[in-house]
Amino acid sequence: MKRLLIFWALVTTMCAHAEFTNLIYTHALDGFVLNQTNIPAVRSIQGGTVIKVSYTGDWSNEMKGAFEYACKIWEENLPSIPPIIIRASISQFTGSNASALSTVRTQGLVVNDEWNWNRFSLNPRMKAVIFKEYVIGACHQFVDSLPSDAFNTPDILITYNSSRLDEMSFSLNQVQEEKFDFVTLVLRDIARGLGFMSSFTAESEIEELYAPNRKLHAFEELLSEQLFAADVSQTPYIAATNDSLILHVGTGDKYNTINLYAPATWQNGISLNYTLPEADKPITQLLTPYFYKGCSFRDIADDYSSLFFYGLLWQPNFTTGDNNSSSESGSTEEIVPYKGLISPPGASSLTTSTFGSIINRPTPVDTLLQSYDFSVETLCKPYTFFILPDSISSTNHTGWAAALLKKDGKWDPVFYAYHLYPSLTIDVNDFQMGDLDDYARTCDGYLRCRVTHATPRRNAPSGYYDYAVSYFAIDEIPQIIKPQITSEVTYSSTNPYAKTITISMKNLEGATAVIAEILDEGETNPRRIDLLDFRKGHFQVTVDREYYSDITVVAYNDNGSTRSATIHVPAESAANSPISPFKASLTGHEITIVPEAIEILDRQSSIEYQILPIMETGPTALVGRLTSTKESINIEDLTPGLYVLLYSDSRGRQGTLKFRR
């Protein structure tokens, strides 16, 4: 019987080339199970990384808001690396996977790593390792060459099945109805894209396990080692179909285990791709195979250092003698109040690790990359621990620096103090901040702040520092909500003048109340709608079809309010107006012209009219203008005979009335 054969070939230096992992399809089980874990109020902040998203397909702001909310949850749990780029798409699924919810594919490169092994490295891992090499100042380098667009293209590609979007809840609150929680689905898909997936296949009839038709990435390497480390009486196939497979990750205090789902009957795309849930390991609950409608797994707060550094190999496999050291820590236990004070730990509480930063790196990592128009310095510098304002010399990092994380993943330096004080209280009012809309937010809507204390290292060459890095969440006024009209328009069956439109929204995090203001044409004061359930991501508003309306969304919290850009809802053209909008009637010597239905705003345009004699020539009998339905046309002075009344309003709606005087 054949065994799974996995080997690494030592090769000579060669240019990297891009590859993708196999498509991983996300399936769900039929039924409804209300199983939920919510985001804990107090949780650790592992670093300062953002996930940048581009969209392909028909995404509403409601859907984008839910996707980006999931990104914010993951961002808090990622170590500091350059931004991860995701392209999110919507498409129709066909074939055997027509019922799948989503697919995930991760881009990577076949590179020569630090030991000159020709390996397949996923982009997120490559960014993490190159960044750590840069800040350590290592003379080694992870990869010998990269294409110039290596970090400008999507790292992760996620596609959602358009035929199943109606089964999704895009609310930021946990799902209560019989729908799939889209935020949880995105959290699962991002985990796959970071590297927690495998593409092994098997044939149950002959009990043979196959590796993907490409080089393995880090998680698959670890998995293959476990399969071969099984009891000698077991083949890799038997080990992979033994109900579960315990994956051992890390060493020492960073040791961890994950119990992978390995059903007795192998299922391609499912076996070894899901985890059996354990109460103290949030990621195992997130990646459970038991995903139903009604499941919301939002609590993924944990220390994933062992999984990222050892399971996904996000840590260099070497050390240097005089590299600097730093400690990173952060928590949401104490939110810095609006315009409040920050009291970060200083040198007196500094604890160090083998991860640090350096000013004068011995050998620039990008020396051999210049011919590829790729600069490690350009990639990494905006994300390092100590970023100085332009007015401060970049050769002296001694003292305190505070920076705010921007949506593009870069840190904006907003405060600097050239002091060696072991402690310092920083007033947020002293921050030199830019446009608030440019800064990244947590999933609670807080600003993300980093404070660094740099101390020259004793008995070390000039330019070596110890960094104490603290992350903070700062309370702030709410974000500017981004509203958008969807294609959903409903016309009233009882009122031909009314239509209901749906507005979808994003950037809802941080708001405690949201109000929609609707200013209708001809009105001086807007009407207001209190959106009590705004976190569901959309609301509906009824407007008059014959008049335009301007809609503004206002977000509030205890610190103040923000106003969205105004959405203009145009009036419909005369061709789309309700049929027979007016009714003219003669009573005695008075003709009245009134709407056939009660308009929702109880108003109408002014009406121009003229009365012409029928079968006679001569001047128009009467010409005039009505400015109110309370006015009427007096025909008492007309000569007896047959006449026709022609009338129209400013929007081109017309009507006629034939009458006898």
Side-chain angles (χ1 to χ4, degrees), residues 105-116:
R105 172 178 273 183
T106 299
Q107 181 168 253
L109 293 173
V110 175
V111 300
N112 291 339
D113 67 5
E114 65 276 6
W115 302 112
N116 203 35

Side-chain angles (χ1 to χ4, degrees), residues 305-502:
S305 57
S306 62
L307 297 181
F308 284 123
F309 294 162
Y310 299 101
L312 302 182
L313 296 182
W314 281 24
Q315 183 165 266
N317 293 329
F318 58 82
T319 59
T320 57
D322 283 319
N323 62 287
N324 291 356
S325 63
S326 73
S327 63
E328 290 186 87
S329 64
S331 172
T332 61
E333 183 173 6
E334 294 183 6
I335 301 297
V336 178
Y338 180 61
K339 301 297 184 181
L341 303 177
I342 299 176
S343 299
S348 60
S349 60
L350 176 66
T351 58
T352 64
S353 66
T354 58
F355 175 40
S357 186
I358 190 170
I359 307 305
N360 303 313
R361 295 182 288 117
T363 302
V365 181
D366 56 347
T367 300
L368 300 180
L369 305 181
Q370 294 174 357
S371 60
Y372 294 91
D373 192 30
F374 176 84
S375 169
V376 171
E377 179 86 14
T378 301
L379 172 70
C380 297
K381 187 175 181 180
Y383 315 105
T384 49
F385 295 130
F386 206 87
I387 299 179
L388 298 167
D390 294 337
S391 60
I392 305 296
S393 171
S394 61
T395 61
N396 190 342
H397 283 202
T398 301
W400 293 87
L404 296 178
L405 187 63
K406 300 179 68 175
K407 290 179 180 178
D408 62 5
K410 298 178 181 179
W411 289 94
D412 180 24
V414 294
F415 175 86
Y416 179 73
Y418 184 74
H419 299 296
L420 279 174
Y421 303 146
S423 62
L424 181 70
T425 298
I426 302 173
D427 191 336
V428 174
N429 285 288
D430 294 334
F431 283 3
Q432 301 298 309
M433 299 170 61
D435 187 345
L436 276 177
D437 201 37
D438 290 337
Y439 294 120
R441 302 275 185 142
T442 69
C443 57
D444 303 305
Y446 301 123
L447 297 181
R448 299 177 62 181
C449 177
R450 182 179 68 193
V451 178
T452 304
H453 185 232
T455 307
R457 171 168 285 197
R458 295 180 179 179
N459 302 320
S462 175
Y464 287 81
Y465 291 80
D466 288 330
Y467 291 155
V469 184
S470 300
Y471 293 97
F472 295 89
I474 302 178
D475 198 8
E476 190 47 83
I477 61 174
Q479 302 174 86
I480 298 175
I481 291 178
K482 308 293 185 184
Q484 171 196 44
I485 298 177
T486 69
S487 58
E488 182 178 348
V489 178
T490 305
Y491 294 101
S492 172
S493 60
T494 59
N495 186 347
Y497 293 94
K499 67 178 178 182
T500 300
I501 60 175
T502 300

Side-chain angles (χ1 to χ4, degrees), residues 71-87:
C71 291
K72 290 180 175 70
I73 295 174
W74 256 122
E75 286 170 357
E76 292 184 6
N77 293 278
L78 295 173
S80 295
I81 66 172
I84 294 172
I85 302 173
I86 295 178
R87 186 173 71 201

Side-chain angles (χ1 to χ4, degrees), residues 15 18 60 134 239 263-264 315 381 474 523 556 632 651:
C15 293
S60 68
Y134 174 82
Q315 183 165 266
K381 187 175 181 180
I474 302 178
E523 299 294 329
Y556 298 87
S632 60
R651 302 192 183 283

